[in-house]
Amino acid sequence: MKNKECVAMLLAGGQGTRLKSLTKKIAKPAVYFGGKYRIIDFPLSNCTNSGIDTVGVLTQYEPLILNNYIGIGSSWDLDRSFGGVSVLPPYMQAEGGGWYSGTANAIYRNIEFLDQYNPEHVLILSGDHIYKMDYNHMLEYHIAAEADATISVIEVPWSEASRFGIMNTNDEGRITEFDEKPEFPLSNLASMGVYIFKWDVLKRYLMEDEEKEGSSHDFGKDIIPALLNDRKKLNAYTFDGYWKDVGTVDSLWEANMDLLKEEPGLNLSDNKWRIYSKNPNQPAQYIAPCATVRNALINEGCRIYGTVDTSVIFYGVHAAQGSVIKDSVIMPNVKIGKNVKIHRAIISEGSVIEDNSVVGDSSPDSQITLVAEEGSVMASSYATIIK
Amino acid sequence: MDLIAGIINLDHEQDLLEELTYFRCGAAVPFAGRYRMIDFTISNMTNSRIESVAVFARRKYRSLMDHMEQGKSWDLDRKRGGLFILPPDWNDPTDLSRGDLQHFHNNIDFIRRTLADYIVVSGSQNICSIDYRDVLESHKESGADVTVVYKKVEELQPEHNLAHKLTIDDSGRVMAIHNDHQSNNVYMDMYIIERDYLNQLVENCIAHGCSHLFLDGIKGRLPDIHINAYEHEGSHALINSVESYYRNSRKLLNESEHDELFKEEFPVFTKVKNEAPSQYAYSSNVTNTLVANGCTLEGHVEDSILFRGVKIGKGAVIKNSIIMQRCEIEENAVLENVILDKDCSISSGRTLIGAPEKPFVVAKRKTM
């Protein structure tokens, strides 16, 4: 039987409620980032660049845009004859069915999908993070250590450690304890939500967990503790690079602003590690004689007649004369009228900002204003917005 | 709906763009920041629901093939039809054909096998946004044998010297095809014709020793043949010289000219490069410029066109220039009225200034 050494399973069913109205109609992995991308482009491109050509994408919440976006995976070179990308929504069976009740349950219900490829290892990913990572290095480490599971961790500032799932390890990097959001952390190694399991081990634990009364069928809460409990070999793989959870409006804004720093932690122009995305077929961007553009990322199809300062502008955005966009993220196809002022804001796809509107608060440390598609204004602002 | 197939005939297009066509054919010349000339012709076909396109290439087609791949970028990776790039490698010992009829003869299967009843034959030098379904409608209404597309230009430009012009009567019938500089009806090197009629025309032309399907087979049969003229409205550029390339490229900095070529419902497709958005530094000062993705801009740029992946260093000044893919302009270099072909680098402090009417052209991969 043909088999794959490693198959990736990407958990993309999350709602991302803390992103407020940005995720009203789309799943969190489909949220825009970096002038051109959606969050899911990062794990999918990482897979392609790491030589992992079989990816199951588990969808559940608002899957329309995500399904449409993924298509047959050709944007990420994942349209393969054996393997490639498969979208795996919850389904009904003869004896019933229902929604995925947790991350582990989502994988459990796709055991048959995985068994088709008879993989030795399974890589579990989430669609919530911005990072570039060679999963192949992690896989090599996992294989060399003969671990049952390897969890990718990143050092976070001690002050923030209590916000994360923290791994306590011994000198050899073996995980001794897992603390979900500990009040008094013993380590600052946070789980990145990237796991590699031996498939036969994971399969057994998924089946056992499914039978357990009161289990929430979650990797962090149930599967990992069960493995630790049985003294299985769990290793921590330390990742050293840019990694950002973009689960909130503020952190999404921050991650976009990170790209504009003098030495950005995330290099999007690395030819050896391209981040692929679906191509919107737009002409070159036009910067008008009356425009001023400074410290900005701008995508194709934009027309800038106003001032753009320290901002990230997605494709197809039109900014009219006299408009000022500062410290903001403007998502695709937004039309900005004359003399509009936008400060410290995220404007979501397709919004129309009428002439002379003022959006956001320019004082530093003020809350980030979110203008959602429906035209409602979040947080403090004095804008007139018409969709 | 009538099916249409497309033939892009590059056979007799001359490579007149000096340095830009030393190593590539005119159809493969980069244009408008992220396209190549042929993208406009193919996109017109794709947007007109043409799903079967043959490209008759004769010379310097390496970069053309590299660019087009399987036609996926134009949605031409089809099971039935799709894209066929057909360079010359013909080994039929009984072949009597000459000129571009060699292409029609040796690729006659494309014409015979297509499911389409009509075929659009076009060159690549006329840049425009046109719906061939409208041309077909005019063709069918007129009952003509062939319908040719023309542009009524306000003022003839030097590049129109090489183009044929049409004399048209009130009913829209072509009375004469000529090179008379008094006429401003410029033939756009595109026509639509019934498939079976084209097939006959090819056989007949070969039997009579012709060497140019359009000139001998169509123009040469006037007045016996009924040729209908379809007027193209909207922007049009004929590019067959460095001068016309430079002038028509910079015309796109005008918003209405740009919008007539790049219509939202009629997109222009090209090969995808997956470049990141362009990055403008604090020190950059960019005005009246078209910028493709993947650029890193730290200097001053005005009235110019920058292709994908261009780097402009601090203190560099670029004016009225066209800078192609992956060029690197180091700090404090000055470029004015310059066309840089792909992969050129200009070291710091250099100055290159061309004349406004005759830009200075730097060939691919040059370091200065």
Side-chain angles (χ1 to χ4, degrees), chain A residues 333-383:
Chain A
N333 301 318
V334 170
K335 305 285 174 269
I336 296 167
K338 285 182 181 156
N339 304 316
V340 166
K341 306 275 176 276
I342 298 175
H343 287 283
R344 293 174 66 82
I346 297 178
I347 313 287
S348 70
E349 187 178 9
S351 302
V352 176
I353 315 289
E354 286 205 321
D355 292 357
N356 306 315
S357 304
V358 177
V359 181
D361 187 341
S362 62
S363 57
D365 305 324
S366 60
Q367 209 186 338
I368 301 306
T369 303
L370 173 64
V371 176
E373 221 169 335
E374 275 68 37
S376 57
V377 185
M378 307 297 290
S380 60
S381 96
Y382 333 93

Side-chain angles (χ1 to χ4, degrees), chain A residues 34 36-37 259 274 276 279 281-289 293-300 303 305 310, chain B residues 34-35 253 255 258-259 269 272-282 284 286-291 293:
Chain A
K36 166 163 190 168
Y37 312 95
L259 296 171
R274 287 243 195 234
Y276 300 102
N279 164 42
N281 271 313
Q282 299 266 350
Q285 55 200 276
Y286 176 62
I287 313 296
V293 179
R294 273 212 178 104
N295 195 28
L297 273 182
I298 303 185
N299 199 351
E300 280 158 356
R303 280 186 186 180
Y305 288 84
T310 317
Chain B
R34 61 190 298 269
Y35 304 95
L253 296 173
E255 186 172 353
H258 184 273
D259 285 4
F269 302 96
V272 180
K273 302 274 185 187
N274 292 293
E275 294 276 5
S278 279
Q279 191 142 21
Y280 297 73
Y282 271 116
S284 74
V286 179
T287 56
N288 197 34
T289 292
L290 279 174
V291 183
N293 269 355

Side-chain angles (χ1 to χ4, degrees), chain B residues 7 104 107-114 119 195 198-199:
Chain B
I7 292 175
F104 285 98
N107 298 310
I108 199 73
D109 285 350
F110 175 81
I111 296 167
R112 288 196 184 141
R113 284 191 194 152
T114 179
I119 294 183
R195 182 190 62 155
L198 178 64
N199 191 16

